């Protein structure tokens, strides 16, 4: 570590002695103080490489002390320490700029891992949240693959930049099709981990019995079908970012193991007898209400608080104003180039319809609409007659353009189902539900009260049977 050393501010003498001993044995130089006044004085006279700060101090609120420290030296990572019953204070500290948090009691491995991560990703003399983004865009401009400069999205970009240098877990919410994976990639892209791997994992698309292996890996012979060692997503993301999409779909048993992973930064592949340490930042996402999943007993409350540290909510497309047109024009140019078409602009009538449309499928729906237009039509200007049926008045195509009719919500009279094989009835009900919900598997799964992974498996099996 650097010569500056660590600053430990802990008012309990026995704990101060234990932490100092563990850190010193690992080769760290530590200066320990017992209250906020002496801790702040040490921070100013002997600037540390990182701070370990107990939030319960005898002479001052730990959050206020951290805020003053970060105002003076925002590049110094602060690891906050709190009691088990005060995890909400730790979450508040993370949102205020802390690098990581430790909940008492924690073990030696967790303490050393938090310190090593903080030191490895500190930016000397520079707050990464204020650093110029790698995309070369302005401080308030779009990040990564995002398009749009509306006020709601500028707030999203600002939050991404502010959390970039931290190890805080980011929890992304938003409707299906709003770009949650793009958001996760943007956080990774402007963080100190940008040169490391970004590993996405859709928890809803993997059968529950295989999820543990997908996340943590397995050894050959550990279960039927394990014909070779497999590296899990957590190990693949070592040094980078692990993105857990549809995290609320995780099996409760795996939620317990994920919580242990977050607390210890160690993984144990299926069939392994020893755990190994990895250095991974977690970003997760869901289109559900995570608190509702907690209330229903489908998501562990302690895991929710561990993950829901820095929430980022992505606004639906209908709330993004002129972003609708900006995205449409950008995508039109890209698709026209890919398909060898001459399109270069949207007509004013098309722009007006795009602004009025509710876009229940958000950006993903717009991509489908424009792909449909570009594939089935040609010309310099996209006209209203070229739009699919769901963007026509009363849902009917206008004359004069070659369009593909959008699927209607199919009626399923009972008489049509009676006398048919159960497998066919099941398939027709599932397909009708998918159409009703714009092709969204997670939404259809909620209506049918099954896991999205169940629907993904059935859809894949139907596709194989038809090949």
């Amino acid at each position: 570590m650097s010569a500056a050393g660590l600053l430990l501010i802990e008012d309990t003498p026995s704990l101060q002695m234990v932490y100092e001993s563990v850190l010193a044995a690992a080769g760290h130089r530590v200066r320990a103080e017992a209250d906020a006044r002496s801790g702040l004085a040490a921070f100013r006279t002997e600037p540390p490489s990182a701070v370990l700060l107990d939030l319960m101090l005898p002479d001052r609120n730990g959050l206020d002390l951290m805020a003053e420290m970060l105002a003076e030296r925002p590049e110094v990572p602060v690891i906050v320490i709190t009691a088990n019953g005060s995890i909400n204070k730790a979450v508040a500290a993370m949102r205020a700029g802390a690098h990581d948090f430790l909940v008492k009691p924690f073990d030696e491995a967790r303490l050393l891992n938090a310190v090593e991560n903080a030191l490895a990703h500190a930016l000397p003399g520079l707050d990464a949240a204020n650093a110029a983004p790698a995309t070369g865009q302005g401080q308030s401009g779009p990040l990564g693959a995002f398009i749009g400069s509306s006020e709601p999205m500028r707030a999203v970009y600002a939050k991404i930049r502010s959390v970039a240098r931290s190890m805080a877990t980011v929890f992304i919410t938003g409707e299906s099709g709003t770009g949650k994976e793009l958001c996760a990639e943007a956080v990774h892209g402007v963080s100190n981990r940008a040169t490391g791997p970004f590993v996405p994992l859709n928890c809803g698309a993997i059968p529950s019995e295989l999820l543990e292996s997908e996340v943590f890996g397995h050894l050959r012979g550990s279960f039927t079908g394990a014909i070779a060692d497999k590296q899990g997503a957590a190990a693949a993301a070592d040094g980078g970012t692990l993105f857990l999409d549809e995290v609320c779909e995780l099996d409760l048993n795996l939620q317990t193991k994920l919580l242990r992973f977050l607390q210890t930064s160690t993984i144990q592949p299926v069939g392994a007898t020893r755990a190994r340490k990895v250095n991974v930042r977690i970003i997760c996402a869901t289109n559900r209400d995570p608190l509702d999943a907690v209330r229903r007993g489908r998501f562990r409350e302690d895991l929710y608080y561990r993950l829901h540290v820095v929430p980022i909510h992505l606004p639906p497309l209908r709330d993004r104003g002129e972003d609708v047109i900006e995205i449409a024009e950008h995508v039109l140019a890209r698709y026209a180039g890919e398909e060898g078409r001459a399109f270069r602009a949207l007509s004013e009538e098309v722009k007006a319809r795009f602004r009025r449309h509710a876009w229940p499928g958000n950006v993903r729906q717009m991509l489908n609409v424009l792909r449909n237009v570009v594939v089935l039509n040609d010309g310099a200007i996209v006209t209203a007659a070229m739009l699919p049926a769901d963007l026509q008045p009363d849902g009917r195509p206008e004359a004069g353009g070659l369009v593909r009719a959008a699927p209607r919500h199919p009626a399923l009279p009972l008489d049509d189902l009676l006398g048919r094989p159960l497998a066919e009835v099941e398939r027709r009900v599932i397909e009708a539900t998918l159409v009703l919900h714009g092709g969204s598997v997670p939404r259809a799964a909620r209506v049918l009260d099954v896991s999205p992974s169940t629907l993904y498996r059935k859809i894949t099996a139907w596709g194989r049977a038809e090949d």
Side-chain angles (χ1 to χ4, degrees):
M1 66 165 293
S2 69
L6 303 172
L7 173 60
L8 169 65
I9 306 176
E10 166 63 64
D11 66 318
T12 304
S14 59
L15 291 178
Q16 184 187 102
M17 182 179 65
V18 169
Y19 301 158
E20 191 173 4
S21 175
V22 169
L23 293 168
H28 298 286
R29 190 167 65 84
V30 186
R31 176 168 177 176
E33 301 293 347
D35 55 47
R37 182 186 58 79
S38 57
L40 184 58
F43 181 83
R44 288 169 172 165
T45 58
E46 190 179 340
S49 297
V51 176
L52 289 107
L53 172 64
D54 193 322
L55 292 179
M56 297 295 291
L57 296 173
D59 58 338
R60 190 175 180 187
N61 183 293
L63 284 176
D64 292 341
L65 176 59
M66 184 190 75
E68 187 169 350
M69 288 177 168
L70 291 178
E72 294 183 13
R73 294 192 62 209
E75 76 279 5
V76 176
V78 177
I79 302 166
V80 298
I81 301 172
T82 187
N84 189 42
S86 304
I87 194 168
N88 58 321
K89 292 185 178 180
V91 172
M94 294 294 282
R95 292 174 180 171
H99 183 272
D100 201 352
F101 68 93
L102 299 169
V103 179
K104 300 175 184 176
F106 48 85
D107 60 21
E108 177 180 326
R110 174 70 181 120
L111 172 62
L112 293 176
N113 186 71
V115 170
E116 288 163 9
N117 284 339
L119 295 175
H121 298 93
L123 286 181
L126 175 65
D127 182 3
N130 297 320
T135 57
Q137 293 159 315
Q139 291 299 304
S140 61
L143 291 166
F146 275 123
I147 302 167
S149 53
S150 62
E151 188 61 35
M153 288 307 295
R154 285 203 299 270
V156 169
Y157 305 147
K159 193 163 232 184
I160 290 173
R161 288 188 174 94
S162 70
V163 75
R165 80 178 181 92
S166 172
M167 272 290 288
T169 303
V170 177
F171 201 118
I172 306 168
T173 57
E175 296 177 8
S176 180
T178 50
K180 293 186 285 295
E181 185 165 346
L182 291 184
C183 183
E185 290 175 342
V187 173
H188 174 76
V190 295
S191 73
N192 302 325
R193 295 173 169 261
T195 57
F198 174 83
V199 179
L201 188 69
N202 189 328
C203 301
I206 301 171
S208 58
E209 61 270 19
L210 297 179
L211 256 176
E212 182 177 359
S213 170
E214 291 294 325
V215 176
F216 300 119
H218 67 250
L219 300 186
R220 177 183 177 183
S222 56
F223 56 86
T224 302
I227 59 175
D229 291 354
K230 176 181 174 62
Q231 183 185 51
D238 196 7
T241 301
L242 175 62
F243 173 52
L244 299 175
D245 199 6
E246 302 298 345
V247 71
C248 287
E249 306 303 329
L250 280 175
D251 177 82
L252 283 170
N253 180 55
L254 192 58
Q255 289 179 30
T256 302
K257 295 180 179 180
L258 178 60
L259 180 62
R260 189 180 307 120
F261 166 54
L262 292 169
Q263 291 171 336
T264 65
S265 297
T266 60
I267 60 171
Q268 187 164 343
V270 179
T273 57
R274 298 181 62 183
R276 57 163 289 202
K277 183 183 292 187
V278 292
N279 181 357
V280 173
R281 184 194 192 160
I282 299 290
I283 300 178
C284 56
T286 183
N287 58 10
R288 291 194 182 203
D289 176 355
L291 269 179
D292 181 62
V294 170
R295 285 191 291 268
R296 291 171 179 268
R298 295 178 177 176
F299 201 71
R300 290 180 59 116
E301 185 175 18
D302 48 2
L303 180 59
Y304 167 80
Y305 285 114
R306 189 80 202 189
L307 292 174
H308 201 267
V309 176
V310 179
I312 298 180
H313 181 73
L314 295 180
L317 187 56
R318 61 184 171 273
D319 293 342
R320 292 178 55 180
E322 284 301 296
D323 285 358
V324 173
I325 307 305
E326 189 177 343
I327 295 169
E329 291 177 336
H330 177 90
V331 172
L332 177 66
R334 190 177 87 210
Y335 285 175
E338 291 174 1
E339 302 291 343
R341 304 296 197 186
F343 288 114
R344 56 181 175 79
L346 307 172
S347 72
E348 290 304 316
E349 185 179 359
V350 168
K351 290 181 181 179
R353 289 194 188 180
F354 277 22
R355 292 185 183 102
R356 291 195 303 267
H357 195 62
W359 298 110
N362 293 291
V363 177
R364 187 177 296 125
Q365 181 187 2
M366 175 181 281
L367 299 181
N368 291 339
V369 166
L370 290 170
R371 180 69 82 177
N372 177 288
V373 168
V374 171
V375 168
L376 299 179
N377 303 273
D378 200 3
I381 307 296
V382 175
T383 64
M386 298 175 181
L387 297 178
D390 55 344
L391 271 85
Q392 301 291 356
D394 301 320
R396 292 191 298 268
E398 296 180 351
L402 178 61
V403 298
R404 176 185 297 159
R408 292 293 182 191
H409 297 166
L412 285 175
L414 184 60
D415 289 345
D416 284 355
L417 300 178
L418 293 176
R420 297 183 181 274
L422 183 59
E424 182 182 345
V425 172
E426 179 187 61
R427 177 169 179 173
R428 292 185 65 183
V429 170
I430 289 173
E431 289 178 339
T433 307
L434 285 167
V435 170
L436 186 63
H437 292 277
S440 171
V441 171
R443 290 183 184 178
R446 285 201 295 274
V447 171
L448 296 169
D449 197 26
V450 297
S451 167
S453 61
T454 299
L455 295 192
Y456 281 114
R457 286 201 305 276
K458 291 182 181 295
I459 294 167
T460 301
W462 296 335
R464 285 198 300 263
E466 293 170 354
D467 288 344

